[in-house]
Amino acid sequence: MVIKEKNGNVAPQNKFSTFSGVFVPSVLAILGAVMYYIAPKVVGGVGLLQMFGIILLAHSITIATAFSISSIATNIQVKGGGLYYLISRSLGREFGGSIGIQLFLAQTVASSFYVIAFSQAVSAVLVSIGITVPLLYITLVSCTIFGIIVYKGAHFVIKIQYFILAAILLSLVSIFLGPQSVAATDAAKQTVNLIPFWVAFAMFFPAVTGIDAGVGMSGELKDPKKSLVKGTFFSILFTMV
């Protein structure tokens, strides 16, 4: 169902809630490639206790950022544009424009990072069943498919994200259900490579920046002021735990 705005544009009425529009996209971005590919190396490099410290320190930064987002979002009329819109309306168009270019480049690099990580996972699955495909081909096909999905629009992506969330939660459960032998544990201890704390922190920190995925949905929310605040904080706390 759609209605006409005063300026004649079509205004969609089926916008998203806090859960579907902010919480789930943020959780999916945070519990992504960094957690599956980099976090295990960080844990092995610094140990469990220091890893807890890295998680708390990284999330303390995103919590402070969430307070800033909440302060801005509750004091202006939030429209589309995500972080760029919030920054440009609080710091001015000059700063907002320059930072917006950096945000665009960061999103571009992040997209490449996630596509490559996804392709590596697909390649591992194919190899396990005896099929060998060059990683470049898998990456190009994956990038094309994701481009088509994005072209379909936010509503189509939102429908798919529930299946992805279910798969991620099942994968987390499988970690605790999988068998672990003493021999494998001893072998893992012998192959640990020590990583300096701040290097490990730098490796892990990109994971927690996934909150911008939810903020980026600002123009698609029913109530942006409430959804951005609740969804961002809930996603941070959930993924931190």
Coordinates of all heavy atoms in Angstrom, one line a residue, residues 137-225:
Y137 N 36.6 -17.3 -9.5 CA 35.3 -17.5 -10.2 C 34.1 -17.5 -9.1 O 33.1 -17.0 -9.4 CB 35.3 -18.9 -10.9 CG 36.3 -18.9 -12.0 CD1 36.7 -20.2 -12.5 CD2 36.8 -17.8 -12.6 CE1 37.7 -20.2 -13.6 CE2 37.7 -17.8 -13.7 CZ 38.1 -19.0 -14.1 OH 39.0 -19.1 -15.2
I138 N 34.4 -18.1 -8.0 CA 33.3 -18.2 -6.9 C 33.0 -16.7 -6.5 O 31.9 -16.3 -6.3 CB 33.8 -19.0 -5.7 CG1 34.0 -20.5 -6.2 CG2 32.8 -19.0 -4.6 CD1 34.6 -21.3 -5.1
T139 N 34.1 -15.9 -6.4 CA 33.9 -14.5 -5.9 C 33.1 -13.7 -6.9 O 32.3 -13.0 -6.5 CB 35.3 -13.9 -5.7 OG1 36.1 -14.7 -4.8 CG2 35.2 -12.5 -5.1
L140 N 33.5 -13.9 -8.2 CA 32.7 -13.1 -9.2 C 31.3 -13.5 -9.3 O 30.4 -12.6 -9.4 CB 33.4 -13.3 -10.6 CG 34.8 -12.7 -10.8 CD1 35.4 -13.2 -12.1 CD2 34.8 -11.2 -10.6
V141 N 31.0 -14.8 -9.2 CA 29.6 -15.2 -9.2 C 28.9 -14.7 -8.0 O 27.7 -14.3 -8.0 CB 29.5 -16.8 -9.3 CG1 28.1 -17.3 -9.1 CG2 30.1 -17.3 -10.6
S142 N 29.5 -14.8 -6.8 CA 28.9 -14.4 -5.6 C 28.6 -12.9 -5.6 O 27.5 -12.4 -5.2 CB 29.8 -14.7 -4.4 OG 30.1 -16.1 -4.3
C143 N 29.6 -12.1 -6.1 CA 29.4 -10.7 -6.2 C 28.2 -10.3 -7.1 O 27.4 -9.4 -6.8 CB 30.7 -10.0 -6.7 SG 30.7 -8.2 -6.6
T144 N 28.1 -11.1 -8.2 CA 27.0 -10.8 -9.1 C 25.6 -11.1 -8.5 O 24.7 -10.4 -8.6 CB 27.1 -11.7 -10.4 OG1 28.4 -11.4 -11.0 CG2 26.0 -11.5 -11.4
I145 N 25.6 -12.3 -7.8 CA 24.3 -12.7 -7.1 C 23.9 -11.6 -6.0 O 22.8 -11.2 -5.9 CB 24.5 -14.1 -6.5 CG1 24.6 -15.1 -7.6 CG2 23.3 -14.4 -5.6 CD1 24.9 -16.5 -7.1
F146 N 24.9 -11.2 -5.3 CA 24.6 -10.2 -4.2 C 24.2 -8.9 -4.8 O 23.4 -8.2 -4.3 CB 25.9 -10.0 -3.3 CG 26.3 -11.2 -2.5 CD1 27.6 -11.5 -2.2 CD2 25.3 -12.2 -2.2 CE1 28.0 -12.6 -1.5 CE2 25.7 -13.3 -1.4 CZ 27.0 -13.5 -1.1
G147 N 24.8 -8.5 -6.0 CA 24.4 -7.3 -6.6 C 22.9 -7.4 -7.1 O 22.2 -6.4 -7.0
I148 N 22.5 -8.5 -7.6 CA 21.1 -8.7 -8.0 C 20.2 -8.6 -6.8 O 19.1 -8.0 -6.8 CB 20.9 -10.0 -8.7 CG1 21.7 -10.0 -10.0 CG2 19.5 -10.3 -9.0 CD1 21.7 -11.4 -10.7
I149 N 20.6 -9.2 -5.7 CA 19.8 -9.1 -4.4 C 19.6 -7.7 -4.0 O 18.5 -7.3 -3.6 CB 20.4 -10.0 -3.3 CG1 20.4 -11.5 -3.7 CG2 19.8 -9.8 -2.0 CD1 21.1 -12.4 -2.8
V150 N 20.7 -6.9 -4.0 CA 20.7 -5.6 -3.5 C 19.8 -4.7 -4.5 O 19.0 -3.9 -4.1 CB 22.1 -5.0 -3.4 CG1 22.0 -3.5 -3.2 CG2 22.9 -5.7 -2.3
Y151 N 19.9 -5.0 -5.8 CA 19.1 -4.3 -6.8 C 17.6 -4.5 -6.6 O 16.8 -3.6 -6.8 CB 19.5 -4.8 -8.2 CG 18.8 -4.1 -9.3 CD1 19.1 -2.8 -9.7 CD2 17.7 -4.7 -9.9 CE1 18.4 -2.1 -10.7 CE2 17.0 -4.1 -11.0 CZ 17.3 -2.8 -11.3 OH 16.6 -2.2 -12.3
K152 N 17.3 -5.7 -6.1 CA 15.8 -6.0 -5.8 C 15.3 -5.1 -4.7 O 14.1 -4.8 -4.7 CB 15.7 -7.5 -5.3 CG 15.9 -8.5 -6.5 CD 14.7 -8.5 -7.4 CE 14.7 -9.7 -8.4 NZ 13.5 -9.8 -9.2
G153 N 16.1 -4.6 -3.9 CA 15.6 -3.6 -2.9 C 15.7 -4.2 -1.4 O 15.9 -5.3 -1.2
A154 N 15.4 -3.2 -0.5 CA 15.6 -3.5 0.9 C 14.6 -4.6 1.4 O 14.9 -5.4 2.2 CB 15.4 -2.3 1.8
H155 N 13.3 -4.5 0.9 CA 12.3 -5.5 1.3 C 12.7 -6.9 1.0 O 12.5 -7.8 1.7 CB 11.0 -5.1 0.7 CG 10.4 -3.9 1.2 ND1 10.8 -2.6 0.7 CD2 9.4 -3.7 2.2 CE1 10.1 -1.7 1.4 NE2 9.3 -2.3 2.3
F156 N 13.3 -7.1 -0.2 CA 13.8 -8.5 -0.6 C 14.9 -8.9 0.3 O 15.0 -10.1 0.7 CB 14.2 -8.5 -2.0 CG 14.6 -9.8 -2.6 CD1 13.6 -10.8 -2.7 CD2 15.9 -10.1 -2.9 CE1 14.0 -12.1 -3.2 CE2 16.2 -11.3 -3.4 CZ 15.3 -12.3 -3.5
V157 N 15.8 -8.0 0.6 CA 17.0 -8.3 1.5 C 16.5 -8.7 2.9 O 17.0 -9.6 3.5 CB 18.0 -7.1 1.5 CG1 19.1 -7.4 2.5 CG2 18.5 -6.9 0.2
I158 N 15.5 -8.0 3.4 CA 15.0 -8.2 4.7 C 14.4 -9.6 4.8 O 14.6 -10.3 5.8 CB 13.9 -7.2 5.1 CG1 14.6 -5.8 5.3 CG2 13.2 -7.6 6.4 CD1 15.6 -5.7 6.4
K159 N 13.8 -10.1 3.8 CA 13.2 -11.4 3.8 C 14.3 -12.5 3.9 O 14.2 -13.5 4.5 CB 12.4 -11.7 2.5 CG 11.1 -10.8 2.5 CD 10.4 -11.1 1.2 CE 9.1 -10.2 1.1 NZ 8.4 -10.4 -0.2
I160 N 15.4 -12.3 3.2 CA 16.5 -13.2 3.2 C 17.3 -13.2 4.5 O 17.8 -14.3 4.9 CB 17.5 -12.9 2.0 CG1 16.8 -13.0 0.7 CG2 18.7 -13.8 2.0 CD1 17.6 -12.7 -0.5
Q161 N 17.4 -12.1 5.2 CA 18.2 -12.0 6.3 C 17.8 -12.9 7.5 O 18.6 -13.3 8.3 CB 18.3 -10.5 6.8 CG 17.0 -10.0 7.4 CD 17.2 -8.6 8.0 OE1 18.2 -7.9 7.8 NE2 16.2 -8.1 8.6
Y162 N 16.5 -13.2 7.5 CA 16.0 -14.1 8.6 C 16.6 -15.5 8.4 O 17.0 -16.2 9.4 CB 14.5 -14.2 8.6 CG 13.8 -12.9 9.0 CD1 13.0 -12.2 8.1 CD2 14.1 -12.3 10.2 CE1 12.4 -11.0 8.5 CE2 13.5 -11.1 10.6 CZ 12.6 -10.5 9.7 OH 12.1 -9.3 10.0
F163 N 16.8 -16.0 7.2 CA 17.4 -17.3 7.0 C 18.9 -17.2 7.3 O 19.4 -18.2 7.9 CB 17.2 -17.7 5.5 CG 15.7 -17.9 5.1 CD1 15.0 -16.9 4.4 CD2 15.1 -19.1 5.4 CE1 13.7 -17.1 4.1 CE2 13.7 -19.2 5.1 CZ 13.1 -18.2 4.4
I164 N 19.5 -16.1 7.0 CA 20.9 -16.0 7.3 C 21.1 -16.0 8.8 O 22.1 -16.6 9.4 CB 21.5 -14.7 6.7 CG1 21.3 -14.7 5.2 CG2 23.0 -14.5 7.0 CD1 21.8 -13.5 4.5
L165 N 20.3 -15.2 9.5 CA 20.4 -15.2 11.0 C 20.2 -16.6 11.6 O 20.9 -16.9 12.5 CB 19.3 -14.2 11.5 CG 19.3 -14.1 13.1 CD1 20.6 -13.5 13.6 CD2 18.1 -13.2 13.5
A166 N 19.2 -17.3 11.1 CA 19.0 -18.7 11.6 C 20.2 -19.5 11.4 O 20.6 -20.3 12.3 CB 17.8 -19.3 10.9
A167 N 20.9 -19.4 10.2 CA 22.1 -20.2 9.9 C 23.2 -19.8 10.8 O 23.9 -20.7 11.3 CB 22.5 -20.0 8.4
I168 N 23.4 -18.5 11.1 CA 24.4 -18.1 12.0 C 24.2 -18.6 13.4 O 25.1 -19.1 14.1 CB 24.5 -16.6 12.0 CG1 25.1 -16.1 10.7 CG2 25.4 -16.1 13.2 CD1 25.2 -14.6 10.6
L169 N 23.0 -18.5 13.9 CA 22.7 -19.0 15.3 C 22.9 -20.5 15.4 O 23.4 -21.0 16.4 CB 21.2 -18.7 15.6 CG 20.9 -17.2 15.8 CD1 19.5 -17.0 16.1 CD2 21.8 -16.5 16.8
L170 N 22.5 -21.3 14.3 CA 22.8 -22.7 14.3 C 24.3 -23.0 14.3 O 24.7 -24.0 14.9 CB 22.1 -23.4 13.1 CG 20.6 -23.5 13.1 CD1 20.1 -24.0 11.8 CD2 20.1 -24.4 14.3
S171 N 25.0 -22.2 13.6 CA 26.5 -22.4 13.5 C 27.1 -22.2 14.9 O 28.1 -22.9 15.3 CB 27.1 -21.5 12.5 OG 27.1 -20.2 12.9
L172 N 26.6 -21.2 15.6 CA 27.1 -20.9 17.0 C 26.8 -22.1 17.9 O 27.6 -22.5 18.7 CB 26.5 -19.6 17.5 CG 26.9 -18.3 16.8 CD1 26.2 -17.1 17.4 CD2 28.4 -18.1 16.9
V173 N 25.6 -22.6 17.8 CA 25.2 -23.8 18.6 C 26.1 -25.0 18.3 O 26.5 -25.7 19.2 CB 23.7 -24.1 18.4 CG1 23.4 -25.4 19.2 CG2 22.8 -23.0 18.9
S174 N 26.4 -25.1 17.0 CA 27.2 -26.3 16.6 C 28.6 -26.3 17.2 O 29.2 -27.3 17.3 CB 27.2 -26.4 15.1 OG 28.0 -25.3 14.5
I175 N 29.1 -25.1 17.5 CA 30.4 -25.0 18.0 C 30.5 -25.7 19.4 O 31.4 -26.4 19.7 CB 30.8 -23.5 18.2 CG1 31.0 -22.9 16.8 CG2 32.1 -23.4 19.0 CD1 31.3 -21.4 16.9
F176 N 29.4 -25.6 20.2 CA 29.4 -26.2 21.5 C 29.0 -27.6 21.5 O 29.2 -28.4 22.4 CB 28.5 -25.4 22.4 CG 28.9 -24.0 22.6 CD1 28.4 -22.9 21.9 CD2 29.8 -23.6 23.6 CE1 28.8 -21.6 22.0 CE2 30.3 -22.3 23.8 CZ 29.7 -21.3 23.0
L177 N 28.3 -28.0 20.4 CA 27.8 -29.4 20.3 C 28.9 -30.3 19.6 O 28.8 -31.5 19.7 CB 26.5 -29.5 19.4 CG 25.3 -28.7 20.0 CD1 24.1 -28.9 19.1 CD2 25.0 -29.3 21.4
G178 N 29.8 -29.7 18.9 CA 30.8 -30.5 18.2 C 31.8 -31.2 19.1 O 32.1 -30.7 20.2
P179 N 32.2 -32.4 18.7 CA 33.2 -33.2 19.6 C 34.6 -32.5 19.6 O 35.0 -31.9 18.6 CB 33.3 -34.6 18.9 CG 32.9 -34.3 17.5 CD 31.9 -33.1 17.5
Q180 N 35.2 -32.6 20.7 CA 36.6 -32.0 20.9 C 37.4 -33.0 21.6 O 37.2 -33.3 22.8 CB 36.5 -30.7 21.6 CG 37.8 -30.0 21.8 CD 38.4 -29.6 20.5 OE1 37.8 -28.8 19.8 NE2 39.6 -30.1 20.2
S181 N 38.4 -33.6 21.0 CA 39.3 -34.6 21.6 C 40.4 -33.9 22.3 O 40.8 -32.8 22.0 CB 39.9 -35.5 20.5 OG 40.7 -34.8 19.6
V182 N 41.0 -34.6 23.3 CA 42.2 -34.0 24.0 C 43.4 -33.9 23.1 O 44.1 -32.9 23.2 CB 42.5 -35.0 25.2 CG1 43.8 -34.5 25.9 CG2 41.3 -35.1 26.2
A183 N 43.5 -34.8 22.2 CA 44.7 -34.7 21.3 C 44.6 -33.5 20.4 O 45.6 -32.8 20.2 CB 44.7 -35.9 20.4
A184 N 43.4 -33.1 20.0 CA 43.2 -31.9 19.1 C 43.5 -30.7 19.9 O 44.1 -29.7 19.5 CB 41.8 -31.9 18.6
T185 N 43.1 -30.7 21.2 CA 43.3 -29.5 22.1 C 44.8 -29.3 22.3 O 45.4 -28.2 22.3 CB 42.6 -29.7 23.4 OG1 41.2 -29.9 23.2 CG2 42.8 -28.5 24.3
D186 N 45.6 -30.4 22.6 CA 47.0 -30.3 22.8 C 47.7 -29.8 21.5 O 48.6 -29.0 21.6 CB 47.6 -31.7 23.2 CG 47.1 -32.1 24.6 OD1 46.7 -31.2 25.3 OD2 47.1 -33.3 24.9
A187 N 47.3 -30.3 20.4 CA 47.9 -29.9 19.1 C 47.6 -28.4 18.9 O 48.5 -27.7 18.4 CB 47.3 -30.7 17.9
A188 N 46.4 -27.9 19.3 CA 46.1 -26.5 19.1 C 47.0 -25.6 20.0 O 47.4 -24.6 19.6 CB 44.6 -26.3 19.4
K189 N 47.3 -26.1 21.2 CA 48.1 -25.4 22.1 C 49.5 -25.2 21.6 O 50.2 -24.2 21.8 CB 48.1 -26.1 23.5 CG 46.8 -26.0 24.3 CD 46.9 -26.7 25.6 CE 45.6 -26.6 26.4 NZ 45.7 -27.3 27.6
Q190 N 50.0 -26.3 20.9 CA 51.4 -26.3 20.4 C 51.5 -25.4 19.2 O 52.7 -24.9 18.9 CB 51.8 -27.7 20.0 CG 51.9 -28.6 21.3 CD 52.1 -30.0 20.9 OE1 52.3 -30.4 19.7 NE2 52.2 -30.9 21.9
T191 N 50.4 -25.1 18.5 CA 50.5 -24.3 17.3 C 50.1 -22.8 17.5 O 49.9 -22.1 16.5 CB 49.7 -24.9 16.1 OG1 48.3 -25.0 16.6 CG2 50.2 -26.3 15.8
V192 N 50.0 -22.4 18.7 CA 49.6 -21.0 19.0 C 50.7 -20.0 18.6 O 51.9 -20.2 18.9 CB 49.2 -20.8 20.5 CG1 49.2 -19.3 20.8 CG2 47.9 -21.5 20.8
N193 N 50.3 -19.0 17.9 CA 51.3 -17.9 17.5 C 50.9 -16.7 18.3 O 49.8 -16.2 18.2 CB 51.2 -17.6 16.0 CG 51.7 -18.8 15.1 OD1 52.6 -19.5 15.5 ND2 50.9 -19.1 14.1
L194 N 51.9 -16.2 19.1 CA 51.6 -15.1 19.9 C 51.4 -13.8 19.1 O 52.2 -13.5 18.2 CB 52.7 -14.9 20.9 CG 52.9 -16.0 21.9 CD1 54.1 -15.7 22.9 CD2 51.6 -16.2 22.8
I195 N 50.4 -13.0 19.4 CA 50.1 -11.8 18.7 C 50.0 -10.7 19.7 O 49.4 -10.8 20.8 CB 48.7 -11.9 18.0 CG1 48.6 -13.1 17.0 CG2 48.3 -10.6 17.3 CD1 47.2 -13.3 16.4
P196 N 50.7 -9.5 19.4 CA 50.6 -8.4 20.4 C 49.2 -8.0 20.6 O 48.4 -8.0 19.7 CB 51.4 -7.3 19.6 CG 52.4 -8.1 18.7 CD 51.6 -9.3 18.3
F197 N 48.9 -7.5 21.8 CA 47.5 -7.2 22.2 C 46.9 -6.2 21.2 O 45.8 -6.4 20.8 CB 47.5 -6.6 23.6 CG 46.1 -6.3 24.1 CD1 45.3 -7.2 24.6 CD2 45.7 -4.9 24.0 CE1 44.0 -6.9 25.1 CE2 44.4 -4.6 24.4 CZ 43.6 -5.6 25.0
W198 N 47.6 -5.1 20.9 CA 46.9 -4.1 20.1 C 46.8 -4.5 18.6 O 45.9 -4.0 17.9 CB 47.7 -2.8 20.2 CG 47.6 -2.2 21.6 CD1 48.5 -2.0 22.5 CD2 46.3 -1.6 22.1 NE1 48.0 -1.5 23.7 CE2 46.6 -1.2 23.5 CE3 45.0 -1.5 21.7 CZ2 45.7 -0.7 24.3 CZ3 44.1 -1.0 22.5 CH2 44.4 -0.5 23.8
V199 N 47.7 -5.4 18.2 CA 47.6 -5.9 16.8 C 46.3 -6.8 16.8 O 45.5 -6.8 15.9 CB 48.8 -6.7 16.4 CG1 48.6 -7.5 15.1 CG2 50.0 -5.8 16.3
A200 N 46.1 -7.6 17.9 CA 45.0 -8.5 18.0 C 43.7 -7.6 18.0 O 42.7 -8.0 17.4 CB 45.1 -9.4 19.2
F201 N 43.7 -6.5 18.8 CA 42.6 -5.6 18.9 C 42.3 -5.0 17.5 O 41.1 -5.0 17.1 CB 42.9 -4.5 19.8 CG 41.8 -3.5 19.9 CD1 40.7 -3.7 20.7 CD2 41.9 -2.3 19.2 CE1 39.7 -2.7 20.8 CE2 40.9 -1.3 19.3 CZ 39.8 -1.5 20.1
A202 N 43.3 -4.6 16.7 CA 43.0 -4.1 15.4 C 42.5 -5.1 14.5 O 41.6 -4.8 13.6 CB 44.4 -3.5 14.8
M203 N 42.8 -6.4 14.6 CA 42.3 -7.4 13.8 C 40.8 -7.7 14.1 O 40.0 -7.9 13.2 CB 43.1 -8.7 14.0 CG 44.5 -8.7 13.5 SD 45.5 -10.1 14.0 CE 44.6 -11.4 13.2
F204 N 40.5 -7.6 15.4 CA 39.1 -7.9 15.8 C 38.1 -6.7 15.6 O 36.9 -6.9 15.4 CB 39.1 -8.4 17.2 CG 37.7 -8.7 17.8 CD1 37.1 -9.9 17.5 CD2 37.1 -7.8 18.6 CE1 35.8 -10.1 17.9 CE2 35.8 -8.0 19.1 CZ 35.2 -9.2 18.8
F205 N 38.6 -5.5 15.8 CA 37.7 -4.4 15.9 C 36.7 -4.2 14.7 O 35.6 -3.8 14.9 CB 38.5 -3.1 16.1 CG 37.7 -1.9 16.3 CD1 37.0 -1.7 17.6 CD2 37.5 -0.9 15.3 CE1 36.2 -0.5 17.8 CE2 36.7 0.2 15.5 CZ 36.1 0.4 16.7
P206 N 37.1 -4.5 13.5 CA 36.2 -4.3 12.4 C 34.9 -5.1 12.6 O 33.8 -4.7 12.0 CB 37.0 -4.8 11.2 CG 38.4 -4.6 11.5 CD 38.5 -4.8 13.0
A207 N 34.9 -6.1 13.4 CA 33.7 -6.9 13.6 C 32.6 -6.0 14.3 O 31.4 -6.1 13.9 CB 34.0 -8.1 14.4
V208 N 33.0 -5.2 15.2 CA 32.0 -4.5 16.0 C 31.5 -3.3 15.3 O 30.5 -2.6 15.8 CB 32.5 -4.1 17.4 CG1 33.0 -5.4 18.2 CG2 33.7 -3.2 17.3
T209 N 32.1 -2.9 14.2 CA 31.6 -1.7 13.5 C 30.4 -2.0 12.6 O 29.9 -1.2 11.9 CB 32.7 -1.2 12.6 OG1 33.1 -2.2 11.6 CG2 33.9 -0.8 13.4
G210 N 29.8 -3.2 12.7 CA 28.7 -3.6 12.0 C 27.4 -2.9 12.3 O 26.4 -3.0 11.6
I211 N 27.4 -2.1 13.4 CA 26.2 -1.4 13.7 C 25.8 -0.4 12.7 O 24.6 0.1 12.6 CB 26.4 -0.6 15.1 CG1 27.5 0.4 15.0 CG2 26.6 -1.6 16.2 CD1 27.7 1.3 16.2
D212 N 26.7 0.0 11.8 CA 26.3 1.0 10.7 C 25.4 0.3 9.7 O 24.7 1.0 9.0 CB 27.6 1.5 10.0 CG 28.4 0.4 9.3 OD1 28.1 -0.7 9.5 OD2 29.3 0.8 8.5
A213 N 25.3 -1.0 9.7 CA 24.3 -1.7 8.8 C 22.9 -1.3 9.2 O 22.0 -1.1 8.4 CB 24.5 -3.2 8.8
G214 N 22.6 -1.3 10.5 CA 21.3 -0.9 11.0 C 21.0 0.5 10.8 O 19.9 0.9 10.5
V215 N 22.0 1.4 11.1 CA 21.9 2.8 11.0 C 21.6 3.2 9.6 O 20.9 4.1 9.3 CB 23.1 3.6 11.5 CG1 22.9 5.1 11.4 CG2 23.4 3.2 13.0
G216 N 22.2 2.4 8.6 CA 22.0 2.7 7.2 C 20.6 2.5 6.7 O 20.2 3.0 5.6
M217 N 19.8 1.9 7.5 CA 18.3 1.7 7.2 C 17.5 2.8 7.7 O 16.2 2.7 7.7 CB 17.9 0.3 7.8 CG 18.5 -0.9 7.3 SD 18.1 -1.2 5.6 CE 16.4 -1.7 5.8
S218 N 18.0 3.9 8.1 CA 17.3 5.0 8.7 C 16.1 5.5 7.9 O 15.1 5.8 8.4 CB 18.2 6.2 8.9 OG 18.8 6.7 7.7
G219 N 16.2 5.5 6.6 CA 15.1 6.0 5.7 C 14.1 4.9 5.5 O 13.0 5.3 4.9
E220 N 14.3 3.7 6.0 CA 13.3 2.6 5.7 C 12.5 2.2 7.0 O 11.9 1.2 7.0 CB 14.0 1.4 5.2 CG 14.8 1.7 3.9 CD 13.9 1.9 2.7 OE1 12.7 1.5 2.8 OE2 14.3 2.5 1.7
L221 N 12.7 3.0 8.1 CA 12.1 2.6 9.4 C 10.8 3.3 9.6 O 10.6 4.5 9.2 CB 13.1 3.0 10.5 CG 14.5 2.3 10.4 CD1 15.4 2.9 11.5 CD2 14.4 0.8 10.5
K222 N 9.9 2.6 10.3 CA 8.6 3.2 10.7 C 8.8 4.4 11.7 O 8.2 5.4 11.5 CB 7.7 2.1 11.4 CG 7.3 1.0 10.4 CD 6.5 0.0 11.2 CE 6.1 -1.2 10.3 NZ 5.3 -2.2 11.0
D223 N 9.7 4.2 12.7 CA 9.9 5.2 13.7 C 11.4 5.3 13.9 O 12.0 4.7 14.8 CB 9.2 4.9 15.0 CG 9.3 6.0 16.0 OD1 10.0 7.0 15.8 OD2 8.5 5.9 17.0
P224 N 12.2 6.0 13.0 CA 13.6 6.0 13.1 C 14.2 6.5 14.4 O 15.2 5.9 14.9 CB 14.0 7.1 12.0 CG 12.8 7.1 11.1 CD 11.6 6.9 12.0
K225 N 13.6 7.4 15.1 CA 14.1 7.9 16.4 C 14.2 6.8 17.4 O 15.1 6.7 18.1 CB 13.2 9.1 16.9 CG 13.4 10.4 16.0 CD 12.7 11.5 16.6 CE 12.9 12.8 15.8 NZ 12.2 14.0 16.4

